[in-house]
Amino acid sequence: MADSDDQPRQGAEVLTGAQSLVKSLEQVGADVVFGIPGGAILPAYDPLYDSKFVRHILVRHEQGAGHAAQGYAMVTGKVGVCMATSGPGATNLVTPIADAYMDSVPIVAITGQVAGPSIGTDAFQEADITGITMPITKHNFLVRRAEDIPGAIQAAFHIASTGRPGPVLVDITKDALQATAPFHWPQQVDLPGYRPVTKPHGKQVREAAKLISAATRPVLYVGGGVVKAGASAELKELAELTGIPVVTTLMARGVFPDSHQQNLGMPGMHGTVAAVGALQRSDLLISLGARFDDRVTGQLSSFAPLAKVIHADIDPAEISKNRVADVPIVGDCKEVITELISLLKASPDQLPRLSEWSSYLQDLKRRYPTGYDLPEDGSLSPQYVIQRIGELTGPDAYYAAGVGQHQMWAAHYLPFERPGRWLNSGGLGTMGYCVPAAMGAKVGVPDSVVWGIDGDGCFQMTNQELVTCALEGIPVKIAVINNQSLGMVRQWQTLFYQGRYSNTDLKTNRVPDFQKLAEAMGCVGLRAETPEEVDAVIEKALSINDMPVVVEFVVHKDAMVWPMVAAGTSNDEIKVARDMAPKWDEEI
C-alpha cells in the first residue's frame, strides 16, 4: 500500500473522497477517463464536471469504456482509465479487464461500490467486483475510507504501468466518496513484496550468448513483450548482428518490419509456412516477451522438438509455464536484448554461421508466400479489401481489429513496418473489441489515421460507441468486412463439421443496413460490393477527417483463412489450403 499516515497533515486541504479521487487522477496525469455515471459512482462525477485537466468521455456501454481505455493505453504508452458504477456497471467492465490482463495492457478501472455498511447485504446494484476480478487483475483495491483514496490511486497507476503491464481495479464505496478527509498525496509508492525485475541476471545472459553462438538453426521468437518494452530498435540490431531469422507473434506484428528479409512473418495456427517451419526445425528458440501460448505452439508436445529454449520475459510466472526453458531470463526485453548485443559484439568470431539455415528458410518463404484467390463470381475478396486499406493508408496509421477471420487477414495483409501500430485482442479473443479500441486509440493519437477492421458479427456487439465517436468528435474509420456470417466459426464448421452451419448465418445481407445504421449514429456510411468500388470508398473515407466513417465491404461468404494448423494438432500438419500441405522434403 502507498505511504499511508493516519495522522491528518497540518494545513492539508480537506476534500470529499470524490474530490480527492479527481485530484488524484490529476496528480497521476490521467487526462482522459472513459466511463458512465451511476448511483454508487455518482459523487465522483460532480467534481469531475469541474476538472480542467481530466476529459471524461461518456460512452454508451461500460465494455466500450474498458476497451477504449485499452486502445488509449496501447497507442500512448500511458495508463488508460475507465470508470463505472457498482453492480452491472462494474461487471460490464469484466470483459475488457480480462482482455487487458491477457494482453498486458495497463489500465485502471475505477468503480463505485455500495456504501460500506451495505456491503454483503445484497444491496441494490451490489456486486463483489474485487472478488470477481481478482483472477484477472494485477491487483485490486476496495477503498472504504476517503483518506485512503489518493494512496490507492497512486499505487494502482504504479502497479498497472510497471513490471508486466496490466489492469488494476479500484473499487470505492459511496460513503468513502461522500466523506471528507485531509488530502495527502504520498511522497512515494511503497508496496512491500512488489519489486518487478527489469535488469536481467548477467550470468543468464552470458549463458544465452553461449547458446546463440553454438546454434546452427536459431530463431528469434518475438512476442508482445518486446513492443511493451519499446525494444524495436534493439531487436533489429540483434537480428542484423547475428543474422538470426525473426518470427513475430500476433501481438508483436510491426515490432520488426515485415519488409525486412529476415522477417518470416507470424507463427502459429494461422501463421506463415516459413515461420511455422522455422520454429519446428529450430535448434534454438530465443523467446523474447512471448509466452508459448497454444495458438503458437499447436500441440505442445510436438512443438519445436529439437530446440533448446532461451526464454526472456519480465514476468517470471511466464517462464517455463508451457515449455521448459534451458536458459530462463527474467527482465525487461530492452535490457535483455541490449546486454545480449553487448556480449555478442565483444566476440564477433563467436557469432553463429547461418547461411545454410537462412537459405532454407528463404526458400520456404519463396515457395509458400501468404496469398489468396479472388472469387470467381466477381464478388469481393476480404483479403483484397484489407490489403487495399493498408496500401492506400500506409504503415504510419494505427489499425485495430476485431476477432475472427478479418483479424487474421489483417495480421497478414496490413503493412506492418512500425511498432505499436497494431491493436487487437490476442489473448482473450474478444469480439466487440475493435470499435471502442479504435475510439480510444484515436483519442490518444488524434492527429493520426485510425482504422478499425471489424467483422459484421463483431461490429454488432459494440458499434453503439460510434455514437460516442460522433458526439465527442472522434473521427475513426471502421471497415466492416461483411461476409454475412460468424466467419471463423463457419470456417471450422466447413472443415470439421461437414458444412453443418449451425447458427452462424447472421443474415446481414438483409439486416441491418450498415450504411444506414452508420448514418443513424451520426457517421458517414459507405458501401462497396465490387472490386471496382473498393479504392474509391477507401479514398473517400480517408478524405473525411471531421466525422467517423463506416465502410461496409460486402465480401464473399466462403473465403477462408490460410495457412491453418487445426486445433490440437502439431504445427507440422500445417495446411496452406484445404487438403494441401507444404512439402518439407528439402530438409537442411
Side-chain angles (χ1 to χ4, degrees):
M1 188 60 197
D3 174 26
S4 62
D5 186 343
D6 290 339
Q7 299 302 315
R9 296 299 194 270
Q10 288 291 332
E13 187 180 13
V14 176
L15 301 176
T16 66
Q19 291 170 326
S20 182
L21 169 61
V22 174
K23 187 166 183 175
S24 297
L25 290 173
E26 293 172 345
Q27 286 282 114
V28 294
D31 52 355
V32 179
V33 173
F34 301 91
I36 304 180
I41 196 67
L42 191 55
Y45 273 78
D46 192 60
L48 191 59
Y49 193 53
D50 295 327
S51 177
K52 292 181 170 53
F53 184 77
V54 182
R55 176 190 180 190
H56 181 272
I57 294 178
L58 178 61
V59 298
R60 276 3 185 211
H61 191 283
E62 291 87 353
Q63 183 182 354
H67 291 316
Q70 287 183 271
Y72 178 85
M74 290 281 285
V75 303
T76 62
K78 300 167 66 176
V79 175
V81 186
C82 52
M83 186 179 287
T85 194
S86 62
T91 57
N92 282 342
L93 285 176
V94 168
T95 296
I97 289 172
D99 197 285
Y101 187 72
M102 292 285 277
D103 288 347
S104 308
V105 182
I107 66 170
V108 168
I110 299 167
T111 51
Q113 182 55 275
V114 300
S118 298
I119 290 178
T121 67
D122 293 335
F124 177 66
Q125 292 193 332
E126 182 189 0
D128 177 12
I129 195 62
T130 53
I132 291 169
T133 59
M134 187 175 292
I136 54 169
T137 51
K138 280 189 76 176
H139 193 66
N140 61 32
F141 299 87
L142 172 59
V143 183
R144 304 175 68 141
R145 303 192 314 167
E147 53 266 45
D148 292 337
I149 291 174
I153 293 296
Q154 186 188 54
F157 276 72
H158 177 71
I159 294 170
S161 59
T162 53
R164 179 179 181 173
V168 178
L169 180 132
V170 183
D171 193 33
I172 309 173
T173 61
K174 187 170 185 177
D175 52 341
L177 290 169
Q178 293 172 318
T180 58
F183 180 85
H184 167 58
W185 188 248
Q187 294 301 308
Q188 61 181 9
V189 180
D190 181 17
L191 299 166
Y194 181 69
R195 299 282 186 275
V197 174
T198 60
K199 185 172 176 53
H201 195 289
K203 178 177 180 298
Q204 297 302 90
V205 180
R206 287 194 294 277
E207 290 301 315
K210 287 178 185 175
L211 285 185
I212 291 173
S213 297
T216 57
R217 300 190 302 280
V219 177
L220 285 161
Y221 162 32
V222 177
V226 179
V227 182
K228 307 289 182 194
S232 177
E234 289 77 7
L235 172 66
K236 188 164 182 278
E237 184 177 355
L238 175 64
E240 293 182 343
L241 173 68
T242 59
I244 298 174
V246 178
V247 302
T248 51
T249 67
L250 178 65
M251 299 308 296
R253 303 292 288 130
V255 75
F256 190 72
D258 271 8
S259 59
H260 198 290
Q261 187 180 23
Q262 287 171 244
N263 193 333
L264 301 178
M266 181 175 72
M269 176 175 277
H270 293 294
T272 66
V273 172
V276 171
L279 292 178
Q280 288 303 102
R281 283 148 188 77
S282 170
D283 68 350
L284 178 64
L285 299 183
I286 305 146
S287 174
L288 302 169
R291 57 188 180 87
F292 293 84
D293 75 281
D294 62 293
R295 283 298 189 265
V296 167
T297 65
Q299 184 185 59
L300 187 58
S301 60
S302 64
F303 175 67
L306 304 176
K308 292 185 176 180
V309 172
I310 298 167
H311 193 171
D313 201 288
I314 199 164
D315 184 355
E318 285 297 339
I319 293 175
S320 294
K321 183 175 77 177
N322 294 328
R323 172 70 178 257
V324 174
D326 297 278
V327 178
I329 305 175
V330 178
D332 178 85
C333 280
K334 190 166 191 164
E335 295 201 34
V336 172
I337 297 172
T338 299
E339 291 204 20
L340 270 177
I341 291 171
S342 177
L343 282 172
L344 292 167
K345 273 186 172 177
S347 304
D349 56 327
Q350 298 297 312
L351 291 173
R353 291 173 172 75
L354 305 176
S355 57
E356 192 176 1
W357 175 232
S358 298
S359 297
Y360 171 74
L361 295 175
Q362 290 303 319
D363 185 55
L364 272 186
K365 193 174 171 181
R366 178 187 59 77
R367 285 193 289 140
Y368 298 105
T370 305
Y372 55 90
D373 295 324
L374 295 174
E376 295 179 355
D377 62 0
S379 59
L380 271 180
S381 152
Q383 299 97 323
Y384 172 75
V385 167
I386 293 169
Q387 187 170 11
R388 289 304 293 158
I389 290 172
E391 289 171 348
L392 291 174
T393 308
D396 289 329
Y398 292 79
Y399 298 92
V403 169
Q405 288 181 311
H406 60 281
Q407 176 191 25
M408 294 298 107
W409 289 321
H412 281 300
Y413 298 110
L414 288 176
F416 293 107
E417 299 292 323
R418 314 264 190 276
R421 300 297 203 271
W422 168 238
L423 299 80
N424 81 125
S425 173
L428 196 64
T430 305
M431 292 178 67
Y433 169 89
C434 176
V435 171
M439 174 175 73
K442 183 65 178 175
V443 172
V445 287
D447 297 328
S448 297
V449 175
V450 177
W451 271 104
I453 310 292
D454 217 357
D456 50 318
C458 289
F459 183 73
Q460 291 185 82
M461 293 188 175
T462 52
N463 66 71
Q464 74 274 12
E465 297 309 338
L466 286 168
V467 174
T468 308
C469 291
L471 293 175
E472 293 280 349
I474 307 169
V476 295
K477 306 179 197 305
I478 305 295
V480 180
I481 310 299
N482 181 5
N483 61 1
Q484 305 102 57
S485 64
L486 297 168
M488 187 61 90
V489 185
R490 179 183 167 86
Q491 176 169 337
W492 283 46
Q493 289 174 330
T494 300
L495 298 174
F496 310 119
Y497 291 87
Q498 297 78 48
R500 290 166 50 81
Y501 300 117
S502 174
N503 292 283
T504 47
D505 186 354
L506 292 170
K507 298 181 173 59
T508 36
N509 54 327
R510 292 167 50 193
V511 289
D513 183 322
F514 287 116
Q515 194 172 3
K516 288 181 180 176
L517 178 61
E519 291 169 356
M521 291 190 288
C523 308
V524 175
L526 303 170
R527 175 184 289 136
E529 300 184 47
T530 67
E532 294 73 27
E533 296 171 331
V534 169
D535 283 12
V537 294
I538 295 172
E539 286 166 355
K540 177 70 175 175
L542 289 171
S543 73
I544 299 169
N545 294 307
D546 57 351
M547 295 175 70
V549 182
V550 176
V551 190
E552 177 193 12
F553 295 95
V554 181
V555 303
H556 197 283
K557 197 170 189 172
D558 293 322
M560 291 197 192
V561 180
W562 298 108
M564 181 176 181
V565 178
T569 66
S570 168
N571 281 347
D572 288 325
E573 298 175 43
I574 187 172
K575 298 288 191 297
V576 294
R578 193 169 190 175
D579 301 323
M580 291 180 62
K583 294 181 180 177
W584 304 108
D585 49 354
E586 297 179 31
E587 298 289 354
I588 59 172

